């Protein structure tokens, strides 16, 4: 499902009215016709839809994900993914614990356009490098990043992460995938090179690296990178499933 299929950002258009539009053949902005009789779409709503389409089309042509991040209800941000897939940055952090005020970030991995970059504490993990990575992304994708990864980085490095953000934990719940990332990966068939490793192991590996074990850092980096690369697979699966649940039935796919 693409942004151009969406009318829900318009004031007065909820899920029911949007579905009625689709069912009446108005599946994209280009297909909107004020003459089409749709229950719940009066003259005022029609004017709002036309104004939204005109404004939104300009922002979409400009690749302005921030505009749509602000326009869409938080529960519908998954609709941005298809249009901004190529510019989506999947990222994940590893830390020495769960307290953002006391513990430290050890590694941060970014996966975008088929390439993965990992920053390591004491080497290249700096506020400037983080800002650079986020600045180059159209859309961020995490798992539980809104509550953990983003505030942890903001507190630890004094930065503001204001890139549009899709936290996959929430749309995953909409399709019945709950719990942590690793169980969800297993449920949808994502395999790991080291399925035995966990977040607790990530803390242990960093401690071992601090004591001089370079192999431990290599394992930690590999684990962190795999997290981000698997997020891309999860995003594809979740958004495709929501497309089938939300849009496809209304348009007869």
């Amino acid at each position: 499902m693409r942004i151009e299929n969406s009318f829900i950002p318009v004031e007065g258009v909820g899920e029911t009215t949007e579905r009625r539009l689709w069912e009446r053949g108005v599946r994209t902005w280009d297909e909107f016709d004020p003459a089409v009789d749709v229950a719940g779409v009066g003259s005022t709503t029609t004017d709002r839809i036309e104004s939204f389409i005109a404004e939104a089309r300009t922002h979409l042509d400009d690749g302005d994900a921030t505009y749509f991040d602000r326009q869409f209800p938080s529960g519908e941000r998954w609709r941005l993914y298809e249009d901004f897939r190529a510019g989506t940055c999947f990222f994940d952090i590893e830390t020495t614990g769960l307290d953002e005020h006391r513990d430290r970030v050890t590694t941060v991995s970014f996966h975008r356009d088929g390439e993965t970059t990992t920053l390591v504490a004491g080497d290249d993990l700096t506020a400037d490098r983080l800002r650079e990575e986020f600045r180059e992304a159209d859309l961020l994708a995490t798992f539980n990043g809104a509550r953990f990864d983003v505030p942890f980085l903001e507190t630890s490095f004094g930065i503001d992460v204001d890139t549009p953000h899709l936290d996959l934990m929430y749309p995953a719940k909409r399709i019945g995938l709950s719990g942590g990332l690793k169980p969800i990966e297993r449920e949808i068939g994502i395999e790991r090179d080291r399925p035995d490793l966990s977040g607790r192991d990530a803390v242990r590996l960093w401690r071992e690296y601090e004591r001089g074990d370079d192999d431990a850092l290599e394992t930690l980096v590999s684990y962190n990178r795999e997290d981000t690369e698997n997020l891309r697979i999860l995003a594809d699966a979740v958004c495709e499933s929501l497309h089938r649940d939300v849009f496809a039935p209304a348009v007869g796919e």
Side-chain angles (χ1 to χ4, degrees):
M1 186 172 176
R2 305 182 68 87
I3 290 172
E4 304 96 309
N5 302 124
S6 301
F7 299 90
I8 204 168
V10 178
E11 182 182 354
V13 178
E15 293 179 11
T16 299
T17 300
E18 184 181 56
R19 189 178 308 110
R20 288 172 180 159
L21 284 163
W22 294 337
E23 290 171 347
R24 293 285 290 160
V26 185
R27 296 162 297 183
T28 68
W29 298 342
D30 288 340
E31 293 174 317
F32 182 71
D33 182 350
V36 175
D37 184 24
V38 178
V41 181
S43 60
T44 299
T45 302
T46 293
D47 290 343
R48 289 172 179 164
I49 291 174
E50 291 183 312
S51 295
F52 166 72
I53 291 173
E55 182 177 6
R57 197 185 303 281
T58 298
H59 286 281
L60 190 58
D61 290 342
D62 291 340
D64 185 1
T66 299
Y67 169 82
F68 295 103
D69 182 62
R70 292 170 179 164
Q71 295 296 317
F72 276 75
S74 60
E76 301 298 330
R77 286 198 184 109
W78 63 273
R79 302 189 191 198
L80 276 64
Y81 179 63
E82 188 62 35
D83 287 272
F84 293 100
R85 181 196 300 258
T88 298
C89 177
F90 304 89
F91 88 95
D92 180 76
I93 72 174
E94 301 300 338
T95 68
T96 58
L98 301 178
D99 188 334
E100 63 198 66
H101 299 285
R102 183 185 64 195
D103 296 307
R104 293 184 297 136
V105 181
T106 57
T107 64
V108 185
S109 287
F110 303 89
H111 180 71
R112 181 174 60 248
D113 197 25
E115 300 292 332
T116 306
T117 299
T118 301
L119 307 179
V120 179
D123 183 9
D124 52 2
L125 178 51
T126 65
D128 285 343
R129 283 298 307 276
L130 290 170
R131 291 191 187 99
E132 179 184 344
E133 292 292 337
F134 291 133
R135 187 168 52 246
E136 292 179 357
D138 294 323
L139 180 68
L140 302 179
T142 66
F143 189 89
N144 197 32
R147 295 193 305 182
F148 184 72
D149 302 68
V150 168
F152 215 116
L153 289 180
E154 290 182 328
T155 299
S156 299
F157 293 92
I159 63 175
D160 293 321
V161 181
D162 53 10
T163 306
H165 180 192
L166 172 61
D167 188 332
L168 291 166
M169 183 173 73
Y170 300 103
K173 285 182 178 179
R174 284 185 60 177
I175 62 171
L177 297 173
S178 59
L181 178 60
K182 308 303 184 298
I184 288 175
E185 288 178 352
R186 290 193 292 270
E187 187 168 348
I188 66 175
I190 299 176
E191 297 184 356
R192 283 182 169 256
D193 291 336
R194 289 291 303 273
D196 55 313
L197 293 179
S198 66
R200 185 170 297 178
D201 291 305
V203 177
R204 171 183 58 80
L205 289 165
W206 181 256
R207 298 303 187 198
E208 291 175 0
Y209 165 66
E210 288 185 311
R211 292 193 294 268
D213 186 349
D214 289 339
D215 289 340
L217 177 61
E218 183 178 340
T219 301
L220 173 60
V221 168
S222 176
Y223 170 77
N224 188 204
R225 292 168 70 90
E226 197 167 29
D227 274 348
T228 65
E229 291 161 8
N230 287 353
L231 284 175
R232 180 189 60 77
I233 302 172
L234 177 62
D236 289 345
V238 167
C239 292
E240 287 170 8
S241 180
L242 283 169
H243 170 89
R244 292 193 298 268
D245 291 347
V246 174
F247 185 64
V251 299
E253 289 185 2

